[in-house]
Amino acid sequence: MEFIIDGSKRLFEVQIEFQKMFPNLKIEFYAHKHKVGKGSLKEDLLNDQLFLSEIRNGHSGHLSIHKDMKVSELETAFEEVFGLSVQVFRKSEGIWIQTTASDGWTLDEQSRAATEHNVVDEEIIDSMDQQDFE
């Protein structure tokens, strides 16, 4: 999937495009980049009604997203190509969690983990991800 981002799109439109490819994942946009292994702060979350032109600092371009791309690579690419700070979330037991402890996983691995039901390792990763907010 190729993302073409210009100032006329709203954040929610980019989110919808991403979620069409990965239904159990989502991206959120933040005012500041998060540190490696740390989650993004809720107060930095950007309103999804904003136009990209309002936040992207003049960046525009193309980004190819594929299932074998690591979460960390995707987040870095959004920053480098578009000047946007994003965080990937995975749905786990009906709750959206930040993938901070598993940013080394591919998007496909994240998506599969979200759909598997009885995986003990998934519960461990989820608890690690949630600890970033406590």
Side-chain angles (χ1 to χ4, degrees):
M1 169 179 237
E2 183 143 13
F3 270 63
I4 300 170
I5 292 187
D6 62 39
S8 67
K9 285 188 180 181
R10 292 184 189 264
L11 296 180
F12 78 88
E13 293 174 294
V14 177
Q15 291 169 317
I16 289 169
E17 288 178 37
F18 180 80
Q19 225 169 2
K20 283 180 183 175
M21 187 173 184
F22 301 102
N24 294 310
L25 304 179
K26 73 174 182 173
I27 55 174
E28 293 285 358
F29 294 88
Y30 291 86
H32 302 100
K33 184 178 177 181
H34 66 279
K35 294 180 179 161
V36 175
K38 299 291 181 186
S40 295
L41 301 175
K42 190 172 185 174
E43 57 264 20
D44 286 340
L45 184 65
L46 294 173
N47 182 324
D48 66 2
Q49 295 298 312
L50 289 171
F51 284 97
L52 289 162
S53 61
E54 297 176 276
I55 61 165
R56 67 179 167 84
N57 300 326
H59 292 79
S60 63
H62 300 264
L63 173 62
S64 244
I65 298 175
H66 52 87
K67 67 180 186 170
D68 295 325
M69 180 179 241
K70 291 181 182 179
V71 169
S72 59
E73 294 170 342
L74 174 73
E75 292 173 354
T76 299
F78 264 98
E79 177 72 29
E80 290 175 355
V81 175
F82 304 119
L84 298 172
S85 297
V86 301
Q87 176 69 52
V88 174
F89 286 72
R90 176 181 69 241
K91 198 170 207 177
S92 179
E93 297 184 17
I95 298 170
W96 290 105
I97 60 167
Q98 293 189 40
T99 59
T100 54
S102 54
D103 276 356
W105 292 10
T106 66
L107 295 169
D108 187 52
E109 289 170 326
Q110 293 284 357
S111 188
R112 283 188 288 125
T115 58
E116 293 174 0
H117 298 288
N118 299 328
V119 179
V120 175
D121 290 344
E122 173 70 5
E123 293 172 12
I124 293 168
I125 294 296
D126 285 352
S127 68
M128 289 170 48
D129 284 341
Q130 291 299 330
Q131 289 175 7
D132 291 331
F133 296 104
E134 296 175 357

